Amino acid sequence: MEWTPVTHRGWVGAVAALGLTVTVGGCGVLGGDSDHVTLRLVAADYGDSAANSSKVYWANLVKAYEKEHPDVDVQVSVYSWNDVDREVKEMVDAGDAPDMAQIGSYADYAAKGLLYQASDLLSISTQADFVSQLANAGKVRGQQYGMPFAASTRLLFYNKALFSSAGIAEAPTTWDELAADAAKLKRAGVDYPYALPLGPEEAQAETMQWMLSGGGGYTSTAGTYSLDSTENVHTFTWLKDELVDKGLTGPVAPGKLNRAQAFSAFAAGDVGMLIGHPSLMKAARDKGVSYGMVPMPSKGGARTLTMGVADWMTAFRRHGHRDEIGRFLDFVYDRDNVLTFSRTYDLLPVTSSASQVMSTAAEDRELEPFLAQLPLSELYPVGRTSWASVAATVKQGIGAAVASGGNPATVLRKLETDAMSADNAAS
């Protein structure tokens, strides 16, 4: 069946017409008909209001699927990103895992043998359609367990009006240019010349993008953690000396500044530059901020890797239903359904077929710069079962690297030691 996607502007009324309740149901086969299967899906909410909640997306998609598959009910429970991973963990720990979960990580469950492999579920054409970087990031020991569901990359956003008032004609391409522009913005009275959110909300993202732009990263080419590499120490020493200590990162200490605060400040017109993902476009437009977007500047101006982020669909083996789960996920990853989701939430498609459409469609022009970054992106090391622990440690500790009196080398060495300990414990 070809499902005609419903645009998000018309979804509120559509959901009311559907009368679909999005809740967690039972645990597998329900009722007296042994051929009737209920699948339970736990999903994360990408919306910022009731009007564009992910409940709306799933309600439309499930209704269309069930119309063609009357022997299957799909019950969806949607949680905020603050809660969804914890909710799924509690279900798994209680022995009642959902059939599918769309969450932030998968490696721990895969290592415990709780998940189906993608090849157990998906048609050959669906699995082959995943963007290669994303499919590879979903592997543990060479087998794909994490199916990418949503993706994004990062660009440097800048406020055009603030740049103009500070006499800056072009966006920076090097670190030195970024620092010089930040100094001009400070002299022009901008509150946050460069917003550096290293607070506990999402410090691991800002950290990774800066590491990559300095030629480093979380892991070495050998695949081991390398947080205290020469490149990473140089990067954070530069950030401390050239931005933070010179008062170019704003009134809130980077270690206390969260991404949401930084994004809100940009939308309010108080930030000259910051690293952002696609959702910042809408926030800025809604507040009337004229902005530009360019690839992240690098130390010497050469093109470097950018950070890519993906969220993951997983399928648990607990209740069986492999065939039913596979058919439903083939539908989820249909090109038009992937496009509908991506366009609704300003995210990048995870399939090549949808990416090809988006790269040329006029309605997707604003997302094209992010899409162009995907082939040059590197994702978190999510295939390592230690990554969740390492990310949590980075969130809490990296701000100290640029704090007053802090020593970047010492902080990064401590984070590396903790990362190696977590990796050994997970082995």
Side-chain angles (χ1 to χ4, degrees):
M1 174 209 173
E2 180 179 356
W3 176 48
T4 302
V6 182
T7 63
H8 66 282
R9 288 181 292 273
W11 277 8
V12 179
V15 171
L18 296 176
L20 183 65
T21 301
V22 186
T23 58
V24 172
C27 54
V29 179
L30 297 181
D33 184 355
S34 61
D35 293 329
H36 198 93
V37 171
T38 295
L39 299 178
R40 294 164 53 209
L41 165 64
V42 174
D45 197 347
Y46 291 83
D48 56 11
S49 67
N52 73 343
S53 168
S54 292
K55 292 181 181 180
V56 179
Y57 172 80
W58 287 111
N60 280 274
L61 187 142
V62 166
K63 185 69 173 182
Y65 184 78
E66 291 179 345
K67 183 177 180 180
E68 294 298 313
H69 299 82
D71 58 333
V72 177
D73 290 332
V74 183
Q75 297 186 353
V76 184
S77 182
V78 175
Y79 295 94
S80 76
W81 271 111
N82 293 329
D83 301 322
V84 66
D85 288 300
R86 174 180 51 79
E87 292 285 346
V88 171
K89 183 178 184 302
E90 290 177 356
M91 293 175 194
V92 173
D93 290 347
D96 190 26
D99 296 288
M100 295 163 285
Q102 185 262 302
I103 47 181
S105 61
Y106 63 86
D108 285 351
Y109 299 129
K112 295 174 182 176
L114 301 179
L115 301 180
Y116 285 114
Q117 293 181 25
S119 58
D120 294 332
L121 303 165
L122 303 176
S123 66
I124 293 174
S125 59
T126 296
Q127 192 173 2
D129 198 23
F130 287 131
V131 174
S132 60
Q133 295 99 312
L134 305 179
N136 289 334
K139 293 180 178 179
V140 175
R141 299 184 183 90
Q143 299 298 324
Q144 185 181 355
Y145 292 91
M147 292 163 277
F149 183 76
S152 69
T153 54
R154 300 293 192 265
L155 293 171
L156 182 76
F157 282 68
Y158 63 95
N159 184 308
K160 289 184 176 181
L162 296 182
F163 264 48
S164 179
S165 64
I168 304 170
E170 297 180 355
T173 59
T174 68
W175 287 1
D176 288 344
E177 290 174 357
L178 186 149
D181 289 346
K184 292 177 182 177
L185 290 162
K186 182 181 180 182
R187 289 195 293 271
V190 176
D191 289 346
Y192 293 87
Y194 177 84
L196 183 67
L198 294 176
E201 179 193 359
E202 204 192 29
Q204 83 283 4
E206 186 82 9
T207 295
M208 183 172 177
Q209 182 60 81
W210 275 101
M211 285 179 170
L212 291 173
S213 71
Y218 281 120
T219 58
S220 67
T221 54
T224 58
Y225 285 114
S226 59
L227 279 80
D228 63 345
S229 69
T230 300
E231 293 84 359
N232 292 342
V233 170
H234 178 271
T235 293
F236 276 85
T237 300
W238 186 90
L239 282 171
K240 184 177 188 304
D241 293 348
E242 301 301 324
L243 291 184
V244 181
D245 287 353
K246 292 182 178 180
L248 302 180
T249 55
V252 179
K256 297 185 181 298
L257 182 67
N258 283 324
R259 182 198 63 177
Q261 294 171 271
F263 278 22
S264 294
F266 185 84
D270 297 329
V271 174
M273 297 175 281
L274 85 170
I275 297 169
H277 54 62
S279 70
L280 184 55
M281 297 188 299
K282 180 179 184 300
R285 284 197 306 268
D286 289 348
K287 296 291 186 178
V289 172
S290 177
Y291 60 88
M293 303 179 299
V294 294
M296 178 67 186
S298 64
K299 182 169 57 176
R303 193 77 177 269
T304 60
L305 292 174
T306 188
M307 186 183 73
V309 176
D311 304 321
W312 304 97
M313 179 69 76
T314 58
F316 287 86
R317 303 168 63 93
R318 176 68 178 85
H319 300 296
H321 309 314
R322 184 185 72 176
D323 292 343
E324 291 83 3
I325 293 171
R327 285 192 289 271
F328 177 68
L329 290 179
D330 278 339
F331 183 76
V332 168
Y333 287 109
D334 173 80
R335 185 195 67 179
D336 289 344
N337 294 339
V338 171
L339 280 170
T340 297
F341 178 84
S342 301
R343 286 166 171 167
T344 301
Y345 298 107
D346 286 332
L347 291 165
L348 303 183
V350 297
T351 62
S352 296
S353 60
S355 295
Q356 289 169 4
V357 173
M358 185 171 280
S359 66
T360 58
E363 66 183 289
D364 301 313
R365 190 171 292 117
E366 279 202 311
L367 283 172
E368 196 280 329
F370 294 96
L371 192 62
Q373 293 291 300
L374 197 55
L376 296 170
S377 67
E378 181 172 313
L379 278 72
Y380 297 131
V382 289
R384 306 179 79 94
T385 55
S386 58
W387 169 242
S389 174
V390 172
T393 303
V394 170
K395 288 179 183 181
Q396 295 299 323
I398 193 63
V402 298
S404 177
N407 184 309
T410 300
V411 171
L412 288 168
R413 191 176 305 117
K414 173 64 165 58
L415 291 173
E416 171 69 9
T417 299
D418 292 343
M420 293 302 295
S421 296
D423 210 34
N424 290 334
S427 299

